[in-house]
Amino acid sequence: MDAVSRNLDQENMESDDRDGAVADLKTQLGEMQIGGGGDMLMDDYDVVDDKQDVAIITPDDSVEEADPLANDFEAMKARIQTPTPDLEIETETEHTWTIENWRALSKKERGPVFECGGHPWRILLFPFGNNVDHASLYLEQGHEEEEKAPDGWYACVQFTLVMWNKNDPSIYLHHSAQHRFNAEESDWGFTRFGDLRKLFMASWEDKGRPMIENETVNITAYVRIYKDPTGVLWHNFINYDSKKETGMVGLKNQGATCYLNSLLQSLYFTNAFRKAIYQIPTDHEVDRRNSAWALQRLFYLLQTDKDAVSTQELTVSFGWETKQIFEQQDVQELSRILMERMEKRMKGTEAENALANMFVGKMKTYISCINVDYESSRIEDFWDVQLNVSGNKCLDDSFKDYIQVETMDGENKYFAEGHGLQDARKGVIFESFPQVLHLQLKRFEYDIHRDAMMKVNDRYEFPEIWDASPYLSESADKSEPYIYQLHGVLVHSGDFNAGHYYAFLKPTADGHFYRFDDDRVTRATLKEALDDNFGGDYANLTNGNTGVRNPYTRTMSTKRSMSAYMLVYIRQSRQKDILLDVAEADTPAHLSRRLNEERAEKERIRKEQQEAHLYLPVDVIDDEGFTAYEGFDLTSTVWDLDPANPSNPKRYRVLRSQSVDDFLKTLASQRNAPPEHFRFWVMVNRQNKTVRPDQPITEGSLTMEGAFNKHGSREKSFRLWLEKADTFENGKPIWPEFAPQASSTAPILIFLKYFDVDLQRLLGVGHIYLKKSSKVSDMVPLIANTMGWSAQSSSRSVLSGKGSESTLVSPSRSVQSNASSENTLAPSSRSPTSDKSSTTLIGDTPSLPILALYEEIKHSMIEPMKPKSTLAQAEIQDGDIVCFQKVISDKETSALLSSGRYSDARDFYDYLLNRVSVCFSPKTVTDIDKEIFNLVLSRKTTYDQLAAKVADHLHVSASHIRFATIHSATQRPKQTVKPQMSIDLGSILRPHFGGFNNSNQRDDSLVYEVLEMSVTELESKKNLKVTLLSEGITKEETFDILVPKSGTINDLLRGLQKKAGLPDTVMDRMRILEVSQSKIHRELMEEASVVPIQEFATLYAEVIPDDEENAQDGDKAVYAFHFDKEPSRPHGVPFKFVLKPLERFEDTKERLKTRTGIKGKQFEKIRFCLVQRGKFSIPITLENDDILYDKAINADDFLGLDHVNKNRAGGVKGDSIFIR
């Protein structure tokens, strides 16, 4: 804790050390020579002194006011304890404690208890310092330990502690502070109140006497308690609980989403809007990309959660990525787009038109003739109103400015149809205002002098209750009063480049305002919501300060940095409809059910994490999973735990203290079988990166933790294989009797896989046991029995024998030693269950198919097995996998290969090794559900095979399909794949450097395009992208045109005509412009060849404008381009413009409006310049009286249009919302 606030019960010094330090200090004080002087040394953060560094003298201050004496308590209080503005005093008092015999005091002293505000207080003194060489002085609440402060007690106290000479009250030292006292922070004050040496010096500040005289001094405490109107006055917000204090919760800031949080809270507390959002049917559209579902989810969490809510689900539904999360977007545009998106989702539901009825008003734009009875008008809807702040003092001033009438006369007369040119009045008037009125205050404007966007911090007042009727037309329906109540104030603090957003909202019509600042919600006063957000100059700057430091820009300013930028008013007569109660019954049932499930899952995960040290994760596979598995090893190589896949291991949370036998009983009960029928095998990681069973666990009494420590690997989970017995005697399972592994009689556990040539599948079929001395060929009859291929063969019975050295008992049968089968054991997985007395042995089997056997050593090593070799010679051990297949004829092999299938298990293993699921999406999406599909292919698939498989899926010709790779960041087509015999799918998805550029390329997806011609024919064409301009240069439509590589611009124009459906009359006036870096590079004549034009060139097609088509003698043309502040930062669509002799630039601008299609305020914000190539960095601003024709004398002079580039592109994905 710092020097101002300390927990005095947790002192840093050991008692012996402190006592020694106190004794030394007492000795020093006793030996101190009385005399000398010097200034008091204090930490600047400890001291609040009334002595100013700067003396402010006015002409009226002819006589300096004398300092009061310390025993004149009222005068002292008036001088040293100025009341805090805007706060109401609850009570105040002063108390004096006389201290005698200072050197005899203990290390910590408490003064007498006094009362203020109904609670006890006292002065706390460390006479020899609280670990410093200064006297330490604090104010402390006086509740004794046995009489603790009441629960929730606190007091907001402004206090001053004064130390003064009892004999000369003109000698004093004081410090002031303010603090919120509570049970946790029960004391507050000054660790460095006064330098001990100076307190005892003979003359205090040249007064001729010491401060502490004759070891006696007085200490007076001035205590003033303020009322706390909001409950958070001087709160440090440690462990602050918004839900507990206000009943509401905030929203978490993801990085720079405070503007979004303030808007969302405003919409949430517009209760009718929240209820309308709940009415959107989303029960079948629970998707992260569904913004309606995400908004419902957010509102429900705000309604029910105890902690601040994350907006991540909502921003994901907008399609926002990290870039958008850390950029502050335009709030007005975000609000409009969100409204439009929700209104679209409400169509056809019970909430249809709910938003329009709530937020939409009507305004009329009109031109009315003065001298004749003629008016042209248009009534439009509006969702919000943008109001000028600059030049206006209050809300009414802005509305008067908004509906200000412009007179059109002189050269600006209006042409009225049937009446000719007439004097007229032009303006806007409101026909109706909505129930909820959103007012956007234009706090950010372009400053032409600074050439930058700046924040307008001028004072701008808005009322709590406002009458909108003066701004309605005479014909408007005024039967219901247009009186509005302020509901919300959205605030920006900072400047254009840096700042913070928060909101003041009034959730109920007759309630209080609350401040919603990201994750914190606090009650606010009316002054905090209104007056403090008017902007303007700070009042009552003291101590010579020239301003207040902005916390976001760290600059000093005399103007407030926090000001309202959006106001929300609700029509008083409709408040009950807008602020209606939203009950649990109004929320969709599926919403609460889904979120309750999410909460339960979070609670389960939290509990699991807390108890994780008590449990051991155990992954179990069995024969059922193995027989359902298709792939390498016994299960997924990454031990995928997805429960939806029956072949995946099952994950169990097992108490570490539970025995192996108890866990086995649990699994047996799940399988409805006795536990004696099962046993565990430990799975181990082999050096060849496979995972196989190694040995059974025979000690069932071991704890799971003990077994894991004894047998487990370094994996985080205990991996086990569960074996089930198939052979029994007297109801008890018979397991193989193990001999040392070196013995030839040692049984070996072997897993079998079958490659089905017909079905093109590789599946597990079970396991068998064989002796080490058995031959590979001995597996064949066991395999046949397992597969049921011996149904037509003869068989004979043999008796089970015991005690014979060559007889072993398998899980399914016992086999007597004889010439043909003495080393064999029967299969355990799919063989018939034998009775207690006898089993069946496969004899002569002339109908068996010819089999080929392979050992699956590892993923990339599948080796054929020699039939005459023993298992020992083949180095077979427990857990090894043998794959078998039927041998087929050459004719069958050819048929399989011609159809792209596999005839050999090794080839199929190779396919599995190179298998990849590729997502194919169309270049132009028309029906996303039908046209996006996945195919499982081999990386070794050739280009022709790839095209054939995709064509087969789409039922089109393979020669007409073209592929392109996908950029991983933008998810857009990156590079076209050219058909080559030498490339395969692997090199397309993961190309080598120097091939297809593989940086930022997805390795699991391709874009396809079904062409109107074959890819071969397409190779003879050149693809050129042409943007067709209309409505000046404001409307753009882009087309991809295929022209012969040796073609001309005329071919390009014909292709454009066909694609765009343009008539011949338009094409006769069409031209093509080639543009480079947003400037016209050249005009392309019809006979010009397309050979020099690069495929990525920017081409614009436009109809030659009338000015240019009808140009007169003496007219000349100039190229024009747009730039942002500097000509080196061009943007937008350049154009060619005709200049006319003697034409003032004021008239030229009117033609520019027509030529560009840019009108209104957007056109007014443009600065027109002459940009000369010789002086490229110094554009010459054009004034109204300039004649551009005379200034543009060089052929390479440009007309420059300087305005902000608003077309910075953003990516789009999902249910995306992007703000420019």
Side-chain angles (χ1 to χ4, degrees), residues 268-284:
Y268 171 79
F269 284 106
T270 307
N271 294 358
F273 176 82
R274 191 195 332 166
K275 189 171 182 178
I277 294 298
Y278 284 153
Q279 290 173 340
I280 300 175
T282 59
D283 48 336
H284 300 299

PDB file of all heavy atoms in Angstrom, residues 268-284:
ATOM      1  N   TYR A 268     -30.849  -2.260 -25.897  1.00  0.00           N
ATOM      2  CA  TYR A 268     -31.367  -3.237 -24.935  1.00  0.00           C
ATOM      3  C   TYR A 268     -32.403  -2.593 -24.016  1.00  0.00           C
ATOM      4  O   TYR A 268     -33.449  -3.187 -23.719  1.00  0.00           O
ATOM      5  CB  TYR A 268     -30.213  -3.809 -24.116  1.00  0.00           C
ATOM      6  CG  TYR A 268     -30.648  -4.658 -22.949  1.00  0.00           C
ATOM      7  CD1 TYR A 268     -31.055  -5.977 -23.141  1.00  0.00           C
ATOM      8  CD2 TYR A 268     -30.663  -4.151 -21.655  1.00  0.00           C
ATOM      9  CE1 TYR A 268     -31.474  -6.766 -22.074  1.00  0.00           C
ATOM     10  CE2 TYR A 268     -31.071  -4.927 -20.581  1.00  0.00           C
ATOM     11  CZ  TYR A 268     -31.477  -6.231 -20.791  1.00  0.00           C
ATOM     12  OH  TYR A 268     -31.883  -7.004 -19.734  1.00  0.00           O
ATOM     13  N   PHE A 269     -32.123  -1.378 -23.545  1.00  0.00           N
ATOM     14  CA  PHE A 269     -33.047  -0.713 -22.621  1.00  0.00           C
ATOM     15  C   PHE A 269     -34.165   0.028 -23.346  1.00  0.00           C
ATOM     16  O   PHE A 269     -34.977   0.682 -22.694  1.00  0.00           O
ATOM     17  CB  PHE A 269     -32.279   0.218 -21.681  1.00  0.00           C
ATOM     18  CG  PHE A 269     -31.548  -0.529 -20.608  1.00  0.00           C
ATOM     19  CD1 PHE A 269     -30.176  -0.665 -20.656  1.00  0.00           C
ATOM     20  CD2 PHE A 269     -32.234  -1.133 -19.578  1.00  0.00           C
ATOM     21  CE1 PHE A 269     -29.493  -1.375 -19.686  1.00  0.00           C
ATOM     22  CE2 PHE A 269     -31.566  -1.847 -18.593  1.00  0.00           C
ATOM     23  CZ  PHE A 269     -30.191  -1.971 -18.649  1.00  0.00           C
ATOM     24  N   THR A 270     -34.193  -0.066 -24.668  1.00  0.00           N
ATOM     25  CA  THR A 270     -35.406   0.284 -25.413  1.00  0.00           C
ATOM     26  C   THR A 270     -36.215  -1.009 -25.443  1.00  0.00           C
ATOM     27  O   THR A 270     -36.122  -1.814 -26.371  1.00  0.00           O
ATOM     28  CB  THR A 270     -35.061   0.766 -26.829  1.00  0.00           C
ATOM     29  OG1 THR A 270     -34.100   1.824 -26.747  1.00  0.00           O
ATOM     30  CG2 THR A 270     -36.302   1.275 -27.554  1.00  0.00           C
ATOM     31  N   ASN A 271     -36.986  -1.230 -24.398  1.00  0.00           N
ATOM     32  CA  ASN A 271     -37.557  -2.554 -24.127  1.00  0.00           C
ATOM     33  C   ASN A 271     -38.393  -3.092 -25.275  1.00  0.00           C
ATOM     34  O   ASN A 271     -38.412  -4.303 -25.529  1.00  0.00           O
ATOM     35  CB  ASN A 271     -38.392  -2.510 -22.850  1.00  0.00           C
ATOM     36  CG  ASN A 271     -37.547  -2.243 -21.620  1.00  0.00           C
ATOM     37  OD1 ASN A 271     -36.323  -2.131 -21.715  1.00  0.00           O
ATOM     38  ND2 ASN A 271     -38.167  -2.125 -20.472  1.00  0.00           N
ATOM     39  N   ALA A 272     -39.110  -2.228 -25.976  1.00  0.00           N
ATOM     40  CA  ALA A 272     -39.924  -2.689 -27.098  1.00  0.00           C
ATOM     41  C   ALA A 272     -39.040  -3.255 -28.207  1.00  0.00           C
ATOM     42  O   ALA A 272     -39.430  -4.203 -28.894  1.00  0.00           O
ATOM     43  CB  ALA A 272     -40.770  -1.541 -27.632  1.00  0.00           C
ATOM     44  N   PHE A 273     -37.866  -2.685 -28.388  1.00  0.00           N
ATOM     45  CA  PHE A 273     -36.920  -3.215 -29.374  1.00  0.00           C
ATOM     46  C   PHE A 273     -36.446  -4.600 -28.937  1.00  0.00           C
ATOM     47  O   PHE A 273     -36.388  -5.530 -29.742  1.00  0.00           O
ATOM     48  CB  PHE A 273     -35.731  -2.266 -29.502  1.00  0.00           C
ATOM     49  CG  PHE A 273     -34.645  -2.770 -30.419  1.00  0.00           C
ATOM     50  CD1 PHE A 273     -34.737  -2.606 -31.782  1.00  0.00           C
ATOM     51  CD2 PHE A 273     -33.516  -3.411 -29.906  1.00  0.00           C
ATOM     52  CE1 PHE A 273     -33.745  -3.067 -32.635  1.00  0.00           C
ATOM     53  CE2 PHE A 273     -32.520  -3.888 -30.744  1.00  0.00           C
ATOM     54  CZ  PHE A 273     -32.642  -3.710 -32.115  1.00  0.00           C
ATOM     55  N   ARG A 274     -36.119  -4.739 -27.669  1.00  0.00           N
ATOM     56  CA  ARG A 274     -35.675  -6.044 -27.166  1.00  0.00           C
ATOM     57  C   ARG A 274     -36.761  -7.101 -27.356  1.00  0.00           C
ATOM     58  O   ARG A 274     -36.485  -8.226 -27.790  1.00  0.00           O
ATOM     59  CB  ARG A 274     -35.325  -5.925 -25.682  1.00  0.00           C
ATOM     60  CG  ARG A 274     -34.614  -7.133 -25.132  1.00  0.00           C
ATOM     61  CD  ARG A 274     -34.562  -7.206 -23.618  1.00  0.00           C
ATOM     62  NE  ARG A 274     -34.602  -5.945 -22.938  1.00  0.00           N
ATOM     63  CZ  ARG A 274     -34.834  -5.812 -21.633  1.00  0.00           C
ATOM     64  NH1 ARG A 274     -35.020  -6.887 -20.883  1.00  0.00           N
ATOM     65  NH2 ARG A 274     -34.878  -4.620 -21.062  1.00  0.00           N
ATOM     66  N   LYS A 275     -38.005  -6.727 -27.067  1.00  0.00           N
ATOM     67  CA  LYS A 275     -39.104  -7.688 -27.209  1.00  0.00           C
ATOM     68  C   LYS A 275     -39.294  -8.066 -28.678  1.00  0.00           C
ATOM     69  O   LYS A 275     -39.558  -9.239 -29.003  1.00  0.00           O
ATOM     70  CB  LYS A 275     -40.382  -7.092 -26.640  1.00  0.00           C
ATOM     71  CG  LYS A 275     -41.525  -8.091 -26.540  1.00  0.00           C
ATOM     72  CD  LYS A 275     -42.707  -7.513 -25.764  1.00  0.00           C
ATOM     73  CE  LYS A 275     -43.820  -8.534 -25.620  1.00  0.00           C
ATOM     74  NZ  LYS A 275     -44.955  -7.996 -24.835  1.00  0.00           N
ATOM     75  N   ALA A 276     -39.136  -7.096 -29.578  1.00  0.00           N
ATOM     76  CA  ALA A 276     -39.268  -7.387 -31.008  1.00  0.00           C
ATOM     77  C   ALA A 276     -38.163  -8.322 -31.480  1.00  0.00           C
ATOM     78  O   ALA A 276     -38.401  -9.215 -32.306  1.00  0.00           O
ATOM     79  CB  ALA A 276     -39.247  -6.085 -31.804  1.00  0.00           C
ATOM     80  N   ILE A 277     -36.959  -8.140 -30.957  1.00  0.00           N
ATOM     81  CA  ILE A 277     -35.843  -9.028 -31.324  1.00  0.00           C
ATOM     82  C   ILE A 277     -36.139 -10.444 -30.860  1.00  0.00           C
ATOM     83  O   ILE A 277     -35.872 -11.426 -31.572  1.00  0.00           O
ATOM     84  CB  ILE A 277     -34.527  -8.516 -30.715  1.00  0.00           C
ATOM     85  CG1 ILE A 277     -34.125  -7.170 -31.343  1.00  0.00           C
ATOM     86  CG2 ILE A 277     -33.407  -9.539 -30.907  1.00  0.00           C
ATOM     87  CD1 ILE A 277     -33.864  -7.234 -32.828  1.00  0.00           C
ATOM     88  N   TYR A 278     -36.727 -10.581 -29.666  1.00  0.00           N
ATOM     89  CA  TYR A 278     -37.074 -11.907 -29.154  1.00  0.00           C
ATOM     90  C   TYR A 278     -38.101 -12.605 -30.047  1.00  0.00           C
ATOM     91  O   TYR A 278     -38.206 -13.841 -30.044  1.00  0.00           O
ATOM     92  CB  TYR A 278     -37.616 -11.813 -27.730  1.00  0.00           C
ATOM     93  CG  TYR A 278     -36.575 -11.574 -26.663  1.00  0.00           C
ATOM     94  CD1 TYR A 278     -36.903 -10.939 -25.468  1.00  0.00           C
ATOM     95  CD2 TYR A 278     -35.266 -11.994 -26.838  1.00  0.00           C
ATOM     96  CE1 TYR A 278     -35.957 -10.728 -24.477  1.00  0.00           C
ATOM     97  CE2 TYR A 278     -34.305 -11.782 -25.860  1.00  0.00           C
ATOM     98  CZ  TYR A 278     -34.658 -11.141 -24.682  1.00  0.00           C
ATOM     99  OH  TYR A 278     -33.717 -10.937 -23.706  1.00  0.00           O
ATOM    100  N   GLN A 279     -38.899 -11.829 -30.790  1.00  0.00           N
ATOM    101  CA  GLN A 279     -39.965 -12.421 -31.595  1.00  0.00           C
ATOM    102  C   GLN A 279     -39.472 -12.956 -32.933  1.00  0.00           C
ATOM    103  O   GLN A 279     -40.239 -13.579 -33.665  1.00  0.00           O
ATOM    104  CB  GLN A 279     -41.062 -11.371 -31.827  1.00  0.00           C
ATOM    105  CG  GLN A 279     -41.838 -11.034 -30.553  1.00  0.00           C
ATOM    106  CD  GLN A 279     -42.803  -9.881 -30.750  1.00  0.00           C
ATOM    107  OE1 GLN A 279     -42.653  -9.097 -31.680  1.00  0.00           O
ATOM    108  NE2 GLN A 279     -43.794  -9.778 -29.876  1.00  0.00           N
ATOM    109  N   ILE A 280     -38.204 -12.723 -33.272  1.00  0.00           N
ATOM    110  CA  ILE A 280     -37.654 -13.277 -34.512  1.00  0.00           C
ATOM    111  C   ILE A 280     -37.477 -14.778 -34.325  1.00  0.00           C
ATOM    112  O   ILE A 280     -36.827 -15.218 -33.383  1.00  0.00           O
ATOM    113  CB  ILE A 280     -36.299 -12.624 -34.854  1.00  0.00           C
ATOM    114  CG1 ILE A 280     -36.459 -11.117 -35.030  1.00  0.00           C
ATOM    115  CG2 ILE A 280     -35.708 -13.239 -36.123  1.00  0.00           C
ATOM    116  CD1 ILE A 280     -35.147 -10.381 -35.254  1.00  0.00           C
ATOM    117  N   PRO A 281     -38.050 -15.601 -35.201  1.00  0.00           N
ATOM    118  CA  PRO A 281     -37.900 -17.055 -35.041  1.00  0.00           C
ATOM    119  C   PRO A 281     -36.481 -17.509 -35.394  1.00  0.00           C
ATOM    120  O   PRO A 281     -36.032 -17.341 -36.527  1.00  0.00           O
ATOM    121  CB  PRO A 281     -38.927 -17.627 -36.031  1.00  0.00           C
ATOM    122  CG  PRO A 281     -39.147 -16.547 -37.039  1.00  0.00           C
ATOM    123  CD  PRO A 281     -38.930 -15.240 -36.326  1.00  0.00           C
ATOM    124  N   THR A 282     -35.782 -18.042 -34.407  1.00  0.00           N
ATOM    125  CA  THR A 282     -34.405 -18.513 -34.623  1.00  0.00           C
ATOM    126  C   THR A 282     -34.180 -19.914 -34.079  1.00  0.00           C
ATOM    127  O   THR A 282     -33.038 -20.365 -33.997  1.00  0.00           O
ATOM    128  CB  THR A 282     -33.394 -17.557 -33.948  1.00  0.00           C
ATOM    129  OG1 THR A 282     -33.682 -17.491 -32.544  1.00  0.00           O
ATOM    130  CG2 THR A 282     -33.446 -16.162 -34.540  1.00  0.00           C
ATOM    131  N   ASP A 283     -35.264 -20.601 -33.710  1.00  0.00           N
ATOM    132  CA  ASP A 283     -35.088 -21.904 -33.062  1.00  0.00           C
ATOM    133  C   ASP A 283     -34.439 -22.923 -33.984  1.00  0.00           C
ATOM    134  O   ASP A 283     -33.811 -23.878 -33.510  1.00  0.00           O
ATOM    135  CB  ASP A 283     -36.423 -22.433 -32.534  1.00  0.00           C
ATOM    136  CG  ASP A 283     -37.529 -22.341 -33.574  1.00  0.00           C
ATOM    137  OD1 ASP A 283     -37.408 -21.505 -34.470  1.00  0.00           O
ATOM    138  OD2 ASP A 283     -38.503 -23.103 -33.477  1.00  0.00           O
ATOM    139  N   HIS A 284     -34.557 -22.739 -35.304  1.00  0.00           N
ATOM    140  CA  HIS A 284     -33.936 -23.668 -36.238  1.00  0.00           C
ATOM    141  C   HIS A 284     -32.700 -23.062 -36.909  1.00  0.00           C
ATOM    142  O   HIS A 284     -32.190 -23.600 -37.879  1.00  0.00           O
ATOM    143  CB  HIS A 284     -34.939 -24.099 -37.310  1.00  0.00           C
ATOM    144  CG  HIS A 284     -36.146 -24.788 -36.775  1.00  0.00           C
ATOM    145  ND1 HIS A 284     -36.063 -25.977 -36.066  1.00  0.00           N
ATOM    146  CD2 HIS A 284     -37.469 -24.460 -36.805  1.00  0.00           C
ATOM    147  CE1 HIS A 284     -37.287 -26.356 -35.699  1.00  0.00           C
ATOM    148  NE2 HIS A 284     -38.152 -25.448 -36.130  1.00  0.00           N
TER     149      HIS A 284
END
